[in-house]
């Protein structure tokens, strides 16, 4: 069983920054592909960013490219999402997710269905 716990959400003004963290437990963290997703009220959950097991390969949604950065520290069993230049449309519950099965070291996934475990989410609210 894998447990994921997000933290770092909050209320910030437009143009501000936040760093989300997701602490994982249950298996060797370096065996997980990790992703961040978000869900705004009344909308479907959507891909934000993902990172390969080794951390050498990352990807992000077009809406966050140049503003958000995903990273991981395998020694701390933690994945991060640095969010800069935040906009009101970034307001959502942010979830981290882990895929633990059958992946190469440089692969990441943007599909929700690719992930096996999910955290409870952390609220990010950006005021205008």
């Amino acid at each position: 069983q894998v447990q994921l716990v997000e933290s770092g959400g909050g209320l910030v003004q437009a143009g501000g920054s936040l760093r989300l963290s997701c602490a994982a437990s249950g298996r060797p963290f370096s065996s997980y592909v990790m992703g961040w997703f978000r869900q705004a009220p009344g909308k479907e959950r959507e891909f934000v960013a993902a990172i390969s097991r080794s951390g050498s390969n990352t990807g992000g949604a077009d809406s966050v490219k140049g503003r958000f950065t995903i990273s991981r520290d395998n020694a701390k069993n933690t994945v991060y999402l640095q969010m800069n230049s935040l906009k009101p449309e970034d307001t959502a519950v942010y979830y981290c997710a882990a895929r633990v099965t059958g992946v190469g070291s440089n692969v990441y996934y943007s599909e929700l269905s690719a992930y096996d475990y999910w955290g409870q989410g952390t609220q990010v609210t950006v005021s205008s």
Side-chain angles (χ1 to χ4, degrees):
Q1 189 73 11
V2 175
Q3 294 182 332
L4 303 173
V5 180
E6 302 98 334
S7 61
L11 173 64
V12 64
Q13 290 188 330
S17 298
L18 282 174
R19 188 176 80 156
L20 305 183
S21 300
C22 174
S25 62
R27 291 192 183 194
F29 183 67
S30 59
S31 66
Y32 309 161
V33 173
M34 298 299 297
W36 285 99
F37 294 78
R38 67 186 182 186
Q39 188 166 16
K43 295 188 177 181
E44 294 185 350
R45 194 170 299 189
E46 64 177 6
F47 171 70
V48 176
I51 188 165
S52 64
R53 290 168 53 194
S54 65
S56 62
N57 204 10
T58 65
D62 288 344
S63 60
V64 306
K65 282 182 179 177
R67 299 189 299 123
F68 291 10
T69 302
I70 187 171
S71 62
R72 66 191 296 160
D73 185 336
N74 286 348
K76 295 183 178 180
N77 295 348
T78 302
V79 64
Y80 304 99
L81 185 68
Q82 178 66 45
M83 305 186 295
N84 299 328
S85 301
L86 283 159
K87 304 175 182 180
E89 51 263 44
D90 294 318
T91 295
V93 178
Y94 283 72
Y95 299 89
C96 71
R99 178 182 171 108
V100 302
T101 54
V103 297
S105 61
N106 293 318
V107 176
Y108 67 86
Y109 300 88
S110 60
E111 302 85 2
L112 275 73
S113 60
Y115 290 85
D116 305 303
Y117 296 95
W118 294 82
Q120 294 294 320
T122 185
Q123 177 71 46
V124 171
T125 303
V126 184
S127 64
S128 57

